[in-house]
Amino acid sequence: MFPRAEFGSYYGRPIIKAPSWAARDIAGYFFLGGLAGAGSVLAAGAQLTGRTGLATGMKVSSLAAVSLSAAALINDLGRPSRFANMLRVLKPTSPMSVGSWLLSGYGPAAGAAALSAVTGRLPRAGAAATATAALLGPAVATYTAVLAADTAVPAWHGAHRELPYLFAASATAAAAGMALVLAPPHENTPARCAAVLAAAADAVATRAAERRLGMVAETYREGRAGRLLRCAEVLTCGAAATAALVGRRHRPAAVAAGLALLTGSACTRFGVFAAGIASAEDPAYTVVPQRTTQGATAPPSE
């Protein structure tokens, strides 16, 4: 009896407010946190297998990455006191609160592990700090995905199941890349294996997220986000293949592959960030998927 309603918004204005986060600070915070957390896991494995050069390099790089990550977060917050205020309470239902406490626990552990490795002092305390950082590392690397998915941003919330896996794969790629840059060739076997696994997991998680998102997946394929994510895929897959084939025999090739993995991981984080902003700014990505879902679940009319 009546024509189907067409989508429209008030003068085409966004329905939800896009996050006011600065891309350099928050996407950089995502990337650096992932590098730090995954790097600590790789450092612990290297220490257990006697790869001291790799272990020391990854401990130092994880400390540097988490320090820069915290600096980027504080810079976006505007004042250091705001970060301290988030530690006044622990709210398990808030990803930001849990993440703040994770960083507060992980940072000192990563620092103690790096200091012990560089100076050679207090090896038992250093081993305990390494283990602590490795235990907290996976959460540090992936909680930012939960933080993003907990918002109303369509490109992030719609992929809330796949985003942690994508961030874990991206973090593993970054840590493998750093290891290839820092480790001597005879110690980089774990990094080469991690690079191949990360490239495969990254591709699978991205495709799964796009299938779940439906039309919102356009924000992952078009514009700035699309360019960044395509670059990430090319760099990550190409670097993983290079590392697997010639990374052990040729030090320059291993370093080049490592730098490509780091760049690809950064492109992934910045691409996901850009996709989220694009989906929040276009009201169609907020309303049309909701109407489609409601139409699919509504009982048939008599």
Side-chain angles (χ1 to χ4, degrees):
M1 296 295 293
F2 297 97
R4 189 175 183 86
E6 298 294 332
F7 165 74
S9 71
Y10 185 72
Y11 290 102
R13 296 179 64 83
I15 293 175
I16 64 173
K17 183 179 180 181
S20 58
W21 301 335
R24 182 191 62 183
D25 291 334
I26 299 304
Y29 161 63
F30 290 174
F31 165 69
L32 292 166
L35 171 60
S40 290
V41 176
L42 195 55
Q47 181 169 308
L48 288 174
T49 55
R51 295 176 170 87
T52 56
L54 174 58
T56 300
M58 294 310 298
K59 290 175 187 179
V60 173
S61 71
S62 290
L63 174 60
V66 75
S67 300
L68 292 172
S69 176
L73 175 60
I74 291 171
N75 186 62
D76 187 76
L77 292 173
R79 292 196 305 269
S81 60
R82 291 179 176 172
F83 181 82
N85 287 338
M86 289 190 291
L87 301 177
R88 297 172 63 183
V89 296
L90 173 59
K91 188 176 181 181
T93 57
S94 169
M96 180 62 78
S97 176
V98 173
S100 301
W101 281 97
L102 273 174
L103 286 177
S104 299
Y106 171 82
L115 185 62
S116 176
V118 171
T119 63
R121 297 181 177 180
L122 302 174
R124 291 185 179 180
T130 299
T132 301
L135 288 173
L136 295 176
V140 172
T142 57
Y143 91 88
T144 48
V146 181
L147 174 65
D150 196 45
T151 65
V153 175
W156 297 340
H157 184 73
H160 65 278
R161 293 183 181 177
E162 293 80 12
L163 210 56
Y165 295 101
L166 177 58
F167 274 37
S170 174
T172 303
M178 183 62 74
L180 288 169
V181 172
L182 298 177
H186 66 276
E187 293 187 0
N188 69 9
T189 299
R192 292 186 291 111
C193 294
V196 174
L197 291 174
D202 189 288
V204 170
T206 300
R207 300 297 180 273
E210 290 178 350
R211 285 195 299 271
R212 182 179 298 278
L213 286 169
M215 69 166 289
V216 183
E218 295 171 0
T219 60
Y220 282 76
R221 304 188 189 106
E222 300 174 355
R224 175 179 172 81
R227 293 190 296 271
L228 286 169
L229 292 172
R230 283 191 294 273
C231 287
E233 184 175 10
V234 171
L235 288 168
T236 302
C237 293
T242 301
L245 295 174
V246 298
R248 183 175 176 81
R249 298 190 301 272
H250 300 284
R251 170 70 174 161
V255 172
L259 293 174
L261 284 168
L262 285 165
T263 305
S265 177
C267 286
T268 297
R269 301 303 177 106
F270 278 82
V272 170
F273 183 88
I277 299 301
S279 70
E281 291 177 345
D282 190 334
Y285 294 125
T286 302
V287 175
V288 174
Q290 294 179 1
R291 289 184 175 177
T292 302
T293 302
Q294 290 176 352
T297 58
S301 57
E302 296 183 357

